[in-house]
Amino acid sequence: MDVEPFSLPLSRPLETAAGAIESREGFLVEVTIDGVDGVGEATPLPGWTEPPEVCGRALRDIEQPRTALEGDELADAPAARHGVTLAVLDAAARAAGQPLYRYLGAPEHRESVPVNATVGDGPPAETASAAENAVNEGYPAVKLKVGVRPPAADIDRIEAVRRRCPDVELRVDANGAWSGETALEIVPRLAALGVAVVEQPLSAEELAGHAELRGRGVAIAVDEGLLEHSPRAVLAAEAADILVCKPMALGGIDRARDVVETARAEGIDALVTTTIDGAIARAGAVHLAASVPEIRACGLATAGLLASDIRDGIATVEGGSVPVSQGKGNIPPR
Ligand SMILES: [Mg+2]
């Protein structure tokens, strides 16, 4: 197994729970299994996965990739496990002569995966223009960052978007900014504006508070909550209508697919998002989403957040969706 570090500059600095970062540091993982090559990507994100040093060490300690995936030596290194899994699955899909999404179990051919646009914090007019641009580009759903401003100011922003974009699926992401009391006040107002989804309204530890917000006209999505709690615990607490699955944080596209299937078996939906990964992990997340029937718009429109990438033209957005590679494995060989 070969491990090669890379650094991808971001188009603009990204605020994370662990501070602002200006680049994505990760590792390409290359395996050869029964004579077939596979490539994976481990791109740890501070606050969401193990730190880069731990990831690199975990990868370099691996002697046998398939054995490492079966044991729990990568239990504390989800990004490393993601990289190895993707490489092994890529090789296996190539050996089977299938595109990765079919190898993962997609029941049928899938041309593309719908994605949402994400609009950051800004004044109402600016937010509405950004949302309108996204709709004009063909995005079926727009997600607005909220919770930076007071709730009344966010409502003004959402109203401005709704006036300009009467039909688009609107989602808001509070990244845990609201108290239970604030959320109980604001959710009915979101429902009145036709907001379909509110992501992580309360802090990541909260389970009961999220459960209480369900059934009020807006689907409750849990994202950061999956850092604090296992998917099983979130489902058991009935805390979410939708689980936001980040393969890099969950330890691989195989694990993320298990989470999606477990949730759906209990009548809870799931969607897939990247952690602003490079082209290989992003393509893997697209295959994962493509393997799930009738998946709602996913958070996979992240290629543009990188100033340069591992490979250009891979898993990029075209008219509000990301085309699914139909060649063998994850991405076409160079
Ligand atoms: Mg989120």
Side-chain angles (χ1 to χ4, degrees):
M1 197 179 94
D2 279 343
V3 178
E4 192 188 319
F6 63 77
S7 174
L8 305 173
L10 291 160
S11 306
R12 65 179 103 113
L14 172 75
E15 291 298 330
T16 74
I21 56 171
E22 294 187 351
S23 63
R24 300 290 288 114
E25 314 291 326
F27 304 88
L28 285 182
V29 178
E30 294 172 313
V31 299
T32 304
I33 295 174
D34 301 332
V36 182
D37 294 337
V39 184
E41 178 189 327
T43 308
L45 183 61
W48 284 92
T49 70
E50 76 276 23
E53 317 78 71
V54 175
C55 181
R57 211 177 310 131
L59 288 170
R60 290 188 184 99
D61 282 348
I62 291 172
E63 285 172 12
Q64 230 303 325
R66 278 184 294 190
T67 316
L69 294 178
E70 284 155 18
D72 56 3
E73 62 186 280
L74 297 174
D76 296 324
R81 191 184 182 285
H82 178 283
V84 179
T85 308
L86 187 52
V88 169
L89 286 170
D90 181 35
R94 282 178 202 285
Q98 288 184 307
L100 181 55
Y101 78 105
R102 292 306 294 260
Y103 184 77
L104 290 173
E108 55 191 22
H109 177 86
R110 184 71 171 270
E111 210 53 50
S112 64
V113 172
V115 292
N116 68 272
T118 301
V119 175
D121 181 58
E126 186 184 307
T127 305
S129 295
E132 190 174 39
N133 289 342
V135 171
N136 289 340
E137 284 171 36
Y139 283 92
V142 175
K143 181 167 99 172
L144 312 177
K145 289 283 174 191
V146 295
V148 178
R149 295 158 195 256
D154 274 331
I155 292 291
D156 288 347
R157 297 172 63 228
I158 299 163
E159 278 174 350
V161 171
R162 204 27 119 198
R163 272 196 299 275
R164 283 258 215 120
C165 312
D167 301 319
V168 75
E169 180 189 325
L170 265 186
R171 303 175 183 174
V172 299
D173 188 349
N175 295 110
W178 295 330
S179 67
E181 201 181 341
T182 300
L184 282 168
E185 273 172 29
I186 204 168
V187 165
R189 304 192 62 189
L190 299 176
L193 288 166
V195 172
V197 180
V198 56
E199 196 169 307
Q200 202 67 45
L202 312 177
S203 62
E205 319 72 81
E206 272 290 345
L207 287 182
H210 283 112
E212 195 185 349
L213 291 172
R214 293 179 68 198
R216 295 170 192 268
V218 184
I220 305 298
V222 164
D223 182 6
E224 287 90 341
L226 289 172
L227 268 175
E228 293 287 326
H229 306 281
S230 69
R232 274 258 155 248
V234 175
L235 292 172
E238 301 185 354
D241 297 293
I242 300 169
L243 300 185
V244 178
C245 298
K246 293 175 156 62
M248 195 65 71
L250 290 170
I253 59 172
D254 56 339
R255 294 248 169 105
R257 194 162 194 278
D258 285 346
V259 173
V260 174
E261 294 209 314
T262 303
R264 284 188 158 198
E266 297 193 12
I268 300 303
D269 208 357
L271 57 84
V272 179
T273 83
T274 74
T275 30
I276 312 183
D277 313 316
I280 290 168
R282 194 171 62 246
V286 170
H287 280 288
L288 162 64
S291 77
V292 178
E294 292 173 43
I295 198 154
R296 59 173 75 219
C298 285
L300 300 169
T302 57
L305 302 174
L306 299 171
S308 75
D309 206 340
I310 298 165
R311 285 265 299 272
D312 288 332
I314 300 287
T316 53
V317 183
E318 290 174 20
S321 62
V322 177
V324 180
S325 174
Q326 303 296 332
K328 284 187 274 184
N330 185 25
I331 64 170
R334 236 178 245 276

